[in-house]
Amino acid sequence: MAANNRRMSGKKGAQVGSGGQRRRGLEGKGPTPPAEMRKGHKKNRLANAKARQTSRRPAARGRGGKSASELVVGRNPVYEALREGVPATTLYVQQFIDNDERVREALQLAAERGGINLMEAPRPELDRMTNGLNHQGLVLQVPPYEYAHPEDLLDAAADEGADPLIVALDGVTDPRNLGAVVRSVSAFGGHGVVVPERRAAGMTAGAWKTSAGTAARTPVARATNLTRALEAYKKAGVVVVGLAADGEVELTELEALEGPVAIVVGSEGKGLSRLVGETCDVRVRIPMPGGAESLNAGVAAGIVLYEAARRRA
């Protein structure tokens, strides 16, 4: 009888056994999601169809002056990429995703930037797009990067009426180092960065993020063969300077920095490759009284670029 009495009770408010459903029903559900994410909306159906079509399309392969498109996966990586201004074309959001703070912030950033499509997709579609990575319901598509040609950097210097100041990377495979070099080139008035087409870091989302937005105005050129690109620079009157721990000239004594110069930075572990080292006009060392054996590419390039900017000023 006690159970019947509870069901027949006419008292207002949450009853025993209701689980507080009435109270939860009064709580706010946050801002209205965009049309692309509202189930049943025409834009939602179109977005789902486009997401399915994209997930079945084979991955793009970089050819010529373009890299392949890239996916940034996971709530924090997607949020950080959007916050740092990494170029993006589409933000994929999992259907029925838990609308936590990171998801809301990512959606807000995408909406504020404009030009980024919002697509809702079921989890299996996102799993296929990311090859099973832990995407946490958020996937950001980064468009292919448009690489310059190495000769374009000479043209940029000529347009400014300045001597070329270029950095070439030999065997640097960490995109964060590439981004740091791009940032230093921009800070000290350089005209661009050259990277090899193979076995080298490219302009990924990680490189964009580390560049702190400077990649939008500092060109990165890709060379099919770095040695030949450096030889072409030499024919154009550019002095090719290689950084090496056993370089014959100390940085403070390098007068070549006052004129047209291409600074070649090798990997932290192996340094310059043999062919690239032989192509350099001069090899220079950075004095390190503290006793460190080497510096990473981003730091080394920044030091030499600062010295070049100081001399040119």
Side-chain angles (χ1 to χ4, degrees):
M1 290 297 294
N4 290 336
N5 288 339
R6 284 198 297 271
R7 286 197 297 269
M8 298 293 292
S9 174
K11 294 181 179 179
K12 296 182 179 179
Q15 302 299 306
V16 177
S18 71
Q21 294 176 8
R22 182 173 301 176
R23 174 179 56 80
R24 287 199 299 270
L26 296 175
E27 293 178 354
K29 297 182 179 180
T32 303
E36 291 88 344
M37 297 184 62
R38 295 204 294 272
K39 189 175 180 180
H41 195 284
K42 180 180 178 181
K43 288 188 176 181
N44 175 261
R45 293 194 295 271
L46 292 173
N48 291 342
K50 188 171 182 179
R52 287 192 293 271
Q53 182 181 5
T54 302
S55 66
R56 292 172 186 143
R57 189 178 301 147
R61 297 179 61 185
R63 289 187 177 182
K66 286 189 177 182
S67 62
S69 59
E70 180 188 4
L71 297 178
V72 180
V73 175
R75 297 186 183 186
N76 283 330
V78 166
Y79 169 77
E80 293 293 338
L82 289 169
R83 188 182 67 175
E84 295 296 335
V86 174
T89 54
T90 307
L91 175 60
Y92 294 95
V93 184
Q94 181 182 314
Q95 287 177 337
F96 314 119
I97 190 174
D98 292 334
N99 196 15
D100 68 4
E101 183 179 0
R102 265 295 179 258
V103 173
R104 291 193 295 270
E105 290 174 339
L107 290 171
Q108 182 178 354
L109 284 172
E112 290 174 353
R113 281 180 50 177
I116 300 177
N117 298 317
L118 291 176
M119 301 291 185
E120 187 179 46
R123 183 181 180 88
E125 297 290 345
L126 297 183
D127 291 341
R128 280 194 289 272
M129 289 174 62
T130 61
N131 292 322
L133 294 177
N134 183 23
H135 51 73
Q136 299 176 305
L138 285 186
V139 178
L140 186 69
Q141 187 169 37
V142 177
Y145 180 78
E146 299 252 2
Y147 288 96
H149 188 278
E151 293 180 2
D152 294 340
L153 309 187
L154 299 180
D155 294 339
D159 291 342
E160 294 180 8
D163 288 327
L165 178 57
I166 298 167
V167 174
L169 301 182
D170 178 27
V172 175
T173 57
D174 189 341
R176 293 170 297 183
N177 267 333
L178 172 56
V181 171
V182 170
R183 188 172 184 176
S184 293
V185 169
S186 176
F188 296 114
H191 298 101
V193 181
V194 181
V195 297
E197 187 174 326
R198 299 179 181 176
R199 293 184 293 276
M203 282 305 298
T204 63
W208 267 98
K209 179 181 173 184
T210 310
S211 78
T214 58
R217 58 181 181 271
T218 302
V220 176
R222 189 164 61 179
T224 304
N225 184 297
L226 182 59
T227 301
R228 286 203 293 266
L230 295 176
E231 290 173 345
Y233 280 163
K234 291 171 69 172
K235 290 179 181 178
V238 176
V239 178
V240 177
V241 175
L243 298 189
D246 59 349
E248 56 268 19
V249 178
E250 192 168 288
L251 177 61
T252 55
E253 302 171 355
L254 186 64
E255 296 180 358
L257 292 177
E258 299 173 12
V261 65
I263 303 159
V264 188
V265 184
S267 64
E268 184 175 354
K270 298 180 180 179
L272 299 175
S273 62
R274 181 181 61 83
L275 288 177
V276 169
E278 292 174 354
T279 305
C280 295
D281 293 305
V282 61
R283 298 194 311 158
V284 64
R285 66 183 184 274
I286 298 174
M288 292 184 286
E293 294 183 359
S294 63
L295 300 170
N296 68 39
V299 174
I303 292 172
V304 182
L305 286 164
Y306 166 76
E307 179 66 13
R310 185 185 71 80
R311 286 174 174 266
R312 293 172 179 228

